[in-house]
Amino acid sequence: MRHSPSIVPLDRLDREIYLVLEDFGARAGCAWRETDEQDTDRETVLRDLLSGQYAYPLKIVTFNAIEGWSRDATEDIANALADRAVQDGIDLSPALEAFISANSSRPFGFQLALPLRGAA
């Protein structure tokens, strides 16, 4: 049998691709979110998680099809989210806080800005 060349340019595949497993509730269950090809890089996934594009993320995997590897990136992404939340003072949803607390390899301490008594 003859081997047909791929119609997908190699430069589009030779990179890390990130996918998010999300919990859609008891009735719908969990599913890997459908996403556009250009939105599967690490930075976009981090930005989408912080902006609330994913309501209840459970797991994040990354792979490179050309190099032939895949791995669980959940801990790495949770650590990156925690770092950004603290550095940039980002308000996190309770679900994202729970995701970070459950998956980060280091303690997640987020200081809330509380008003002082008597302050106007």
Side-chain angles (χ1 to χ4, degrees), residues 2-119:
R2 284 182 26 187
H3 176 70
S4 298
S6 173
I7 62 171
V8 178
L10 289 178
D11 62 334
R12 289 177 53 189
L13 292 176
D14 195 13
R15 64 182 184 87
E16 290 184 22
I17 296 171
Y18 288 79
L19 297 176
V20 178
L21 179 66
E22 186 167 14
D23 185 355
F24 292 99
R27 294 189 67 184
C30 300
W32 296 99
R33 284 281 297 266
E34 182 177 335
T35 187
D36 290 331
E37 177 187 1
Q38 68 269 13
D39 295 335
T40 58
D41 62 285
R42 184 177 193 270
E43 187 58 37
T44 302
V45 168
L46 286 169
R47 189 173 53 246
D48 288 350
L49 285 160
L50 289 168
S51 70
Q53 295 293 322
Y54 298 96
Y56 296 99
L58 296 177
K59 184 163 289 297
I60 298 158
V61 297
T62 186
F63 64 91
N64 183 307
I66 297 297
E67 294 177 5
W69 59 263
S70 64
R71 69 178 179 85
D72 183 346
T74 307
E75 181 180 306
D76 295 339
I77 295 295
N79 289 336
L81 290 169
D83 292 344
R84 289 203 186 172
V86 171
Q87 290 171 359
D88 299 340
I90 298 170
D91 290 330
L92 300 175
S93 69
L96 197 53
E97 282 187 35
F99 172 80
I100 293 169
S101 295
N103 296 293
S104 182
S105 63
R106 51 188 180 260
F108 176 57
F110 192 70
Q111 180 62 47
L112 299 175
L114 300 173
L116 298 174
R117 288 187 187 169

